[in-house]
Amino acid sequence: MFKLENTKKLKSALLGIGLSTFLASSALASSKEMSVDGAVKYPIKDGKYTSYYLNIQEIKDFNIGRTPTKREITAWDVDAKPDGTGLPQFDMKNGEVVLGDDGKPKKAEGSVELGNELYDAQCVMCHGDFGTGGKGYPRLAGGTKESLKIQRLNPADEHPNPDTPIRTIGSYWPYASTLYWYVQDSMPFNHPKSLTNSETYALTAYLLSINGITYEGVELDDEFVLDKEKLMKIVMPNHDGFYPEVDTKDPKQGVKNMTALLSDPKIYGTGTRCMKDCIKEDIQNLLMKVNIDLTANSNQPMSVVRSLPKVENKVSLSFGQKTYEESCVTCHGNPALGAPVLGDKEAWKKVTAKGVEKVYHNGINGINSMPPKGGTDLNDEQIKEVIDYMINSSK
């Protein structure tokens, strides 16, 4: 559906391929006959195709460890497919169904309101308020299906578009089941697989709601409760935005569909490689240019007017507390990570046993899995303020 033009206006290349390309290429490479590179098939000879070497050793049997029990497999097998396979109907713990107070299986379901609370507690420090994104972490909401057609720089255009496609859950992901699966299997990043099935449904419901996704034409309000049956009825805006078809009942057919596409060199233009003198036209035409004259406004003096009304801050947080809540609570607020948790007197007593200067040194230079300065760009004195806050709050 979304195609990329080359310099000769050949509108027939994929915008993005992703996992399916990897699967297709892997399948071809493992056949030891052909491999795909740049949409062209190359024969494999003497363990390599063109200049690329391949691992052609044969490995027949593995016998490491023991066979997992059925319960262990159930606990870890959390894959969810678009047809509903793998989506849980009940809450589970350690591979077994959780029973309610009435002795019956506890139904897995969660509301948008609960998902909002969970997001604020475990997700907002990375993904930002309402999924707007954070430093080093992706944006989860916003964008439109139409934005996916935007090309950042298309040399074939007279005026290349300076905008970019916005790929989020609502604009890009084709299936809601993928969202459920990803959250349950990988999030929160510092303690994956810690969410219950009901909590995962709740977070999924909230993320769908902030992306404007509807259920049977109705927006998801705080009272909306998501479960397996409802999730299977969710239709994502970009459900038909990918080709070729890879979501097939037979996984091998999906790979074959991708292989057939990649075997056609015309999707990338001529199908030939170019290492020099590839661009025949004026290279100046390939540069991005600002089409608006900014001369009148670019050299205006800075204003020193302070005319905004003063707003009284009813709640004033110290620098240490504010920084802790923004950058440190993810690790120092979760006992599962092994870092000393704020308020744990015994843990901080051990940390400070060698003196506060040693604590400063570890905080600034990093220790164990903690990166220097906790991965922030704070200076040494600011880090010491944060450390002081955590120590004083844990006495």
Side-chain angles (χ1 to χ4, degrees):
M1 171 174 254
F2 310 123
K3 302 179 181 180
L4 183 66
E5 299 179 16
N6 64 11
T7 56
K8 295 184 179 180
K9 294 282 187 179
L10 295 175
K11 301 182 177 181
S12 55
L14 288 173
L15 178 62
I17 296 176
L19 177 61
S20 298
T21 302
F22 171 77
L23 293 175
S25 301
S26 299
L28 289 168
S30 63
S31 70
K32 302 179 185 175
E33 297 176 354
M34 307 291 288
S35 188
V36 173
D37 185 9
V40 179
K41 276 189 173 182
Y42 295 94
I44 295 176
K45 184 178 180 181
D46 298 329
K48 65 178 182 179
Y49 71 95
T50 66
S51 300
Y52 300 94
Y53 283 91
L54 298 175
N55 184 355
I56 60 174
Q57 65 178 330
E58 293 187 4
I59 301 177
K60 295 182 178 179
D61 301 316
F62 290 95
N63 187 21
I64 300 175
R66 62 170 176 80
T67 302
T69 65
K70 183 178 180 180
R71 180 178 174 182
E72 289 172 332
I73 293 175
T74 302
W76 280 92
D77 184 12
V78 295
D79 291 355
K81 299 180 180 179
D83 63 0
T85 303
L87 286 173
Q89 186 174 358
F90 306 106
D91 270 334
M92 305 284 290
K93 185 175 182 180
N94 299 328
E96 294 186 346
V97 175
V98 174
L99 301 180
D101 296 335
D102 56 1
K104 297 180 180 180
K106 184 180 178 183
K107 184 178 181 180
E109 58 184 359
S111 67
V112 171
E113 184 176 17
L114 174 59
N116 192 352
E117 295 176 4
L118 290 168
Y119 182 88
D120 288 344
Q122 303 199 47
C123 314
V124 71
M125 66 283 295
C126 294
H127 294 288
D129 291 328
F130 306 107
T132 53
K135 185 177 181 180
Y137 295 93
R139 179 177 179 176
L140 302 180
T144 63
K145 180 179 177 179
E146 287 301 311
S147 77
L148 301 181
K149 299 178 182 180
I150 298 173
Q151 296 179 30
R152 181 70 177 99
L153 174 59
N154 186 354
D157 290 338
E158 182 177 356
H159 302 293
N161 197 328
D163 296 325
T164 60
I166 302 176
R167 300 185 183 91
T168 64
I169 293 169
S171 67
Y172 189 65
W173 292 33
Y175 307 115
S177 57
T178 307
L179 173 58
Y180 179 93
W181 160 74
Y182 191 86
V183 170
Q184 186 177 61
D185 191 51
S186 306
M187 294 290 116
F189 88 95
N190 55 359
H191 198 188
K193 290 187 173 71
S194 61
L195 297 170
T196 67
N197 292 343
S198 289
E199 289 173 334
T200 307
Y201 274 121
L203 267 173
T204 301
Y206 173 70
L207 292 172
L208 291 174
S209 72
I210 62 176
N211 275 279
I213 307 302
T214 62
Y215 172 73
E216 296 185 337
V218 180
E219 293 185 359
L220 312 185
D221 56 19
D222 285 350
E223 287 71 37
F224 177 81
V225 177
L226 185 66
D227 56 20
K228 176 180 179 179
E229 290 71 24
K230 291 180 181 177
L231 184 60
M232 291 175 61
K233 294 180 181 180
I234 296 288
V235 179
M236 302 294 278
N238 197 33
H239 68 279
D240 59 352
F242 291 82
Y243 72 97
E245 179 62 34
V246 294
D247 179 30
T248 56
K249 292 184 178 180
D250 179 8
K252 293 182 179 179
Q253 184 58 48
V255 175
K256 290 179 180 178
N257 292 347
M258 182 60 71
T259 301
L261 179 71
L262 292 177
S263 298
D264 181 6
K266 294 181 180 179
I267 66 172
Y268 283 102
T270 63
T272 59
R273 295 186 175 189
C274 179
M275 302 304 292
K276 64 178 181 179
D277 300 329
C278 303
I279 300 175
K280 306 300 182 183
E281 59 200 86
D282 183 1
I283 196 170
Q284 290 299 318
N285 293 333
L286 306 181
L287 301 177
M288 291 188 66
K289 301 176 183 178
V290 177
N291 297 321
I292 301 174
D293 186 1
L294 303 177
T295 306
N297 299 317
S298 60
N299 296 317
Q300 291 186 2
M302 294 182 62
S303 172
V304 295
V305 176
R306 300 291 184 265
S307 58
L308 292 176
K310 293 184 178 180
V311 178
E312 292 186 7
N313 242 336
K314 295 184 178 180
V315 180
S316 179
L317 301 180
S318 66
F319 175 82
Q321 181 178 357
K322 185 175 183 293
T323 305
Y324 167 81
E325 294 179 355
E326 291 178 349
S327 307
C328 310
V329 68
T330 304
C331 296
H332 287 280
N334 190 339
L337 296 182
V341 176
L342 185 75
D344 188 335
K345 296 181 180 180
E346 291 300 319
W348 283 97
K349 185 176 180 181
K350 294 179 181 179
V351 170
T352 57
K354 294 183 179 181
V356 70
E357 291 299 327
K358 182 64 175 179
V359 183
Y360 290 156
H361 177 273
N362 292 338
I364 294 171
N365 298 283
I367 181 174
N368 299 328
S369 60
M370 176 183 170
K373 299 182 180 179
T376 68
D377 52 6
L378 301 175
N379 60 41
D380 291 359
E381 295 305 316
Q382 290 172 326
I383 287 293
K384 291 180 180 180
E385 284 190 53
V386 179
I387 294 174
D388 288 340
Y389 165 73
M390 289 193 284
I391 291 176
N392 293 330
S393 299
S394 303
K395 292 182 177 180

